[in-house]
Amino acid sequence: MLSVIRGIIHSKVGLVIAFALLAMLVLSFAGGDLANLTKATGDPKSTTLATVGKGEVTVPALTQEIQSQVQNYAQQQPGLDVVKFISGGGFEPTLDRSIVEIALQQFGQQQGMVVSKRLIDGQIARVPSLQGPDGKFNQAAYEQLLSQQGLTDRGVREGLVKQLIGRQLIFPILPAAQVAQNVALPYASLLLEKRQGEMGFIPTRAMGDGAPATDAEVASWYGRNLARYTIPERRVIRYAMVTNDQIKAQTTPTEAELAAAYKAQARTFTATEKRDLVQVIVADQAAANALIAKVKGGTPLDVAARASGLEPTTLTALDKIGYAAQSSQAAADAVFAAAKGALVGPVRSAIGFALVRVDKVEQVPGKTLEQARPELIASATKTKTLEVLGRIHDAIDDSVSNNHATFDDIMTQQKLSPQATPPLLADGRDPNDATKKAAPDFMPIVTAAFAASTSDAPQMVQVDPTGGFAVVTLGRVVAPAAPPVAQIRAVVARDFQIDRARRAARTIANDIVAKANKGQPFASLFAASGVKTPPVQPLNTSRAQMAANPRGAPPPLVLMFSMAENSAKLLEAADNQGWYIIKLDKIDRGNATGNAAVIRATQGDLGKLVGREYTEQFTNAVRGIVGVKKNAAAIAALKAQLLGQTAAN
């Protein structure tokens, strides 16, 4: 509904903020996500797309972010690729989001905002892949991930600081959702507006193929549309994979290692008792005694607690040690000595006096070494894999940093198998083989190669969340070029004929529009056109019905709601299919006065937008304070490259 309203009043949607909020709300990172935390810093030697105060957005940083966005959205939109993402308007919002994130961080720090080390520690410790078998943070796993991805602890923490400061600045603005009835009324009335009209269609295919294109016509069309046939810059990528499968012999745990792991995790495999509890914490003992008296008098614990302004907490599957850690040892002793259904308390806990009801008692059997073997093997293998991959990663890094080793040197030293791709586009496609496209897990390699120059040292790129990586170097660059016209004559001739038919269809459609605007009967104009056309269709809808379409309103209906009464207009269909002619016959103005349901619904929808509007204005002000300067040439060049075009064309 709101998208239609905003289209009507020609306002701008806060799309930048929608992207920024999405990034701030999703504050999780693991495996490949660690690299995203440092994307704003980029490579200082790389082309700068935008300077934001003292920071910058670079070509590699934005390229990586766009690829990440494509991979995320492809889960909801199968078939989405970089070209479709950018063609659909994803490039500019992603760039602006990166700018906003850096600007918010710098503004927040200027105002004295800080993020504590403890909060950052907590964010890192919550990452599932960094937790050991005991559920606690595993420092070794964290260090291995940093090493494999070429990151630093400082870089990760700085990335989290940026996101958390942005969230603290933005979230307080969002709840501003109040919209007065008088403000909502015109929009509600607009939604009730109805329009009636007619729609006809002149298909391109109805024009026929016409005479075969001559050599002169093909050559002329080719020259005027050279950019259409120009193959953009391609790159040959040399790489070698370092994966878990290649090091299996080194990562299989020994019996001694399994026995040691079993001993270290004795608590995990020892038989234990777990309980489900309902707990109420009361500040003082007198109040606790009064509450337990009510319960003993027949009032259920949760009902008595709420009547006293307290909220009971349900605790599930807790063992005695776990419960003691969040209450007290005395409380744990009392609770785990009670029978199922018993009421315990009041007993002193860490923050007051606890009343506890035992709802469930479960005896969890222990596991022998043999029974625990599968999970011990999985855990030990994962740890050893990280260690071995880390050693290989560090050895390669040392060779490159200290000895200036080349790609071929590394292949020899590490006994790796080098591979080379055919010349690929920036989205991973091979223009000479339309049936092949780079797999999603190969795209980080492509992105790295397109961010590199031929003189750059080899780099390591993570290719899977379990630590596997690739050694990557740029083989050669194939400059943008159009193939000789003779090589693609059939394609060019087909395109010329389609365009010739399209223009012929437009001529007929324009003639119908002109006559319809002079008052001639609409349907009879199609019959007199001499072209086989689909029947004229009636159009009758309201703005509210258009807004309710989950796939979006069809373009002809959108056009009809921007037209003057008793007028006709032309609209080209997608993919050169032909031309729509829309005639608007009647407008029934809406009036929502007295329609409380529609006004309330409109208030609710507008209210959801108000906070976002305030947020957009706030971030625009922050950008002005911090100072943002975009490199238009670099931005255009990157966008063209990702679209498979060239700046020159």
Side-chain angles (χ1 to χ4, degrees):
M1 182 180 291
L2 285 175
S3 61
V4 174
I5 292 176
R6 296 183 63 76
I8 294 167
I9 62 176
H10 304 289
S11 184
K12 295 181 179 179
V13 179
L15 189 57
V16 174
I17 307 309
F19 274 87
L21 292 177
L22 178 63
M24 294 173 189
L25 285 168
V26 186
L27 268 176
S28 62
F29 62 96
D33 293 336
L34 279 170
N36 294 334
L37 293 176
T38 56
K39 64 180 182 293
T41 304
D43 179 355
K45 298 180 181 179
S46 302
T47 302
T48 299
L49 297 171
T51 302
V52 187
K54 298 178 181 179
E56 61 181 16
V57 180
T58 64
V59 168
L62 189 65
T63 302
Q64 182 184 47
E65 176 61 15
I66 287 174
Q67 185 59 48
S68 175
Q69 290 288 332
V70 170
Q71 291 176 1
N72 289 336
Y73 286 118
Q75 296 177 11
Q76 289 83 37
Q77 303 177 43
L80 181 71
D81 56 22
V82 171
V83 173
K84 292 178 182 177
F85 177 75
I86 295 176
S87 299
F91 182 91
E92 288 77 9
T94 306
L95 171 61
D96 283 344
R97 191 198 75 183
S98 297
I99 291 172
V100 166
E101 287 178 344
I102 299 173
L104 287 172
Q105 179 196 13
Q106 295 192 23
F107 175 77
Q109 291 173 335
Q110 290 172 9
Q111 308 310 309
M113 294 181 67
V114 296
V115 177
S116 70
K117 180 179 181 299
R118 183 176 180 182
L119 178 58
I120 298 298
D121 288 343
Q123 293 289 326
I124 296 173
R126 290 210 314 250
V127 178
S129 64
L130 300 181
Q131 294 173 358
D134 59 356
K136 296 181 179 179
F137 174 69
N138 188 319
Q139 181 67 28
Y142 177 56
E143 292 175 355
Q144 289 292 342
L145 279 175
L146 293 178
S147 175
Q148 289 160 13
Q149 297 174 34
L151 301 175
T152 64
D153 177 65
R154 177 180 177 182
V156 170
R157 291 175 180 276
E158 288 177 349
L160 280 171
V161 167
K162 177 184 67 175
Q163 293 187 356
L164 290 168
I165 288 179
R167 184 170 66 171
Q168 292 171 24
L169 286 169
I170 294 298
F171 277 20
I173 304 173
L174 293 177
Q178 294 77 29
V179 176
Q181 282 192 9
N182 289 341
V183 174
L185 179 60
Y187 296 103
S189 298
L190 206 54
L191 287 170
L192 297 178
E193 178 187 301
K194 295 181 180 179
R195 296 195 174 199
Q196 299 177 25
E198 300 171 279
M199 179 182 72
F201 187 65
I202 304 296
T204 297
R205 65 175 181 273
M207 302 298 105
D209 292 336
T214 66
D215 289 342
E217 288 171 331
V218 169
S220 175
W221 170 263
Y222 178 78
R224 287 183 284 113
N225 296 276
L226 191 62
R228 183 172 182 169
Y229 304 104
T230 296
I231 301 174
E233 179 186 288
R234 290 163 288 160
R235 298 193 170 198
V236 174
I237 306 169
R238 299 184 69 199
Y239 67 98
M241 308 299 292
V242 182
T243 64
N244 299 352
D245 290 340
Q246 295 172 255
I247 59 171
K248 273 187 176 179
Q250 305 175 59
T251 60
T252 302
T254 65
E255 287 300 321
E257 289 171 333
L258 292 177
Y262 180 77
K263 183 177 180 181
Q265 300 172 44
R267 179 187 167 193
T268 303
F269 302 116
T270 300
T272 187
E273 180 181 279
K274 292 188 176 182
R275 297 192 167 203
D276 290 356
L277 312 172
V278 175
Q279 174 177 271
V280 178
I281 301 295
V282 186
D284 60 83
Q285 189 164 12
N289 289 334
L291 181 59
I292 200 168
K294 291 182 181 179
V295 176
K296 289 181 178 180
T299 305
L301 177 61
D302 49 352
V303 174
R306 292 191 178 98
S308 300
L310 302 171
E311 187 63 32
T313 303
T314 300
L315 307 172
T316 59
L318 274 182
D319 61 15
K320 186 174 181 179
I321 295 176
Y323 181 66
Q326 58 179 277
S327 57
S328 68
Q329 188 59 51
D333 290 340
V335 168
F336 277 77
K340 177 182 176 181
L343 182 66
V344 180
V347 291
R348 181 174 289 280
S349 71
I351 55 174
F353 291 87
L355 301 180
V356 184
R357 187 180 70 219
V358 180
D359 280 359
K360 180 181 178 181
V361 178
E362 179 185 7
Q363 300 297 330
V364 181
K367 289 184 180 181
T368 64
L369 173 59
E370 195 59 33
Q371 291 171 327
R373 180 178 295 275
E375 55 194 284
L376 288 171
I377 290 175
S379 176
T381 300
K382 178 180 178 181
T383 300
K384 293 189 72 174
T385 297
L386 290 173
E387 291 173 352
V388 174
L389 289 173
R391 286 199 300 269
I392 297 173
H393 185 286
D394 290 346
I396 295 173
D397 189 49
D398 289 342
S399 295
V400 173
S401 302
N402 301 328
N403 302 321
H404 306 290
T406 65
F407 180 80
D408 292 324
D409 293 336
I410 294 170
M411 297 301 102
T412 301
Q413 294 167 4
Q414 298 296 329
K415 299 179 181 179
L416 300 176
S417 301
Q419 301 181 60
T421 68
L424 299 179
L425 298 170
D427 63 359
R429 289 181 296 124
D430 177 1
N432 294 324
D433 189 350
T435 64
K436 292 183 179 179
K437 185 178 180 181
D441 58 358
F442 191 78
M443 281 308 301
I445 295 175
V446 177
T447 300
F450 271 83
S453 64
T454 53
S455 60
D456 286 350
Q459 55 184 307
M460 286 170 283
V461 179
Q462 184 177 354
V463 293
D464 68 59
T466 61
F469 64 93
V471 184
V472 182
T473 192
L474 177 58
R476 63 187 176 92
V477 177
V478 180
V485 65
Q487 185 177 327
I488 56 171
R489 189 189 188 285
V491 173
V492 177
R494 181 201 63 199
D495 292 344
F496 167 78
Q497 289 176 295
I498 291 174
D499 184 69
R500 182 174 60 190
R502 183 189 68 86
R503 287 183 281 110
R506 183 180 60 191
T507 299
I508 295 173
N510 278 329
D511 182 61
I512 292 175
V513 169
K515 291 177 180 178
N517 280 325
K518 292 179 181 178
Q520 295 188 33
F522 192 64
S524 64
L525 293 174
F526 288 86
S529 68
V531 176
K532 186 177 180 180
T533 65
V536 171
Q537 297 180 26
L539 301 177
N540 187 355
T541 190
S542 67
R543 292 188 189 273
Q545 289 173 312
M546 287 173 54
N549 189 334
R551 294 177 295 180
L557 291 183
V558 175
L559 176 61
M560 185 176 73
F561 275 85
S562 68
M563 294 169 55
E565 199 167 12
N566 295 316
S567 67
K569 282 191 176 183
L570 191 66
L571 176 67
E572 185 171 12
D575 302 323
N576 295 319
Q577 293 180 41
W579 302 85
Y580 295 105
I581 300 100
I582 295 92
K583 185 173 185 297
L584 175 60
D585 297 324
K586 182 181 179 183
I587 300 176
D588 293 326
R589 306 292 179 185
N591 186 355
T593 302
N595 193 330
V598 173
I599 294 175
R600 280 197 304 270
T602 305
Q603 282 180 293
D605 284 340
L606 287 173
K608 296 173 185 177
L609 188 62
V610 170
R612 195 178 301 172
E613 291 283 3
Y614 286 160
T615 302
E616 182 175 357
Q617 296 303 319
F618 173 72
T619 55
N620 285 340
V622 168
R623 289 170 61 151
I625 293 170
V626 172
V628 175
K629 185 177 181 181
K630 293 184 178 180
N631 184 340
I635 291 171
L638 176 60
K639 185 176 181 181
Q641 182 188 76
L642 294 174
L643 280 171
Q645 303 169 356
T646 62
N649 291 306

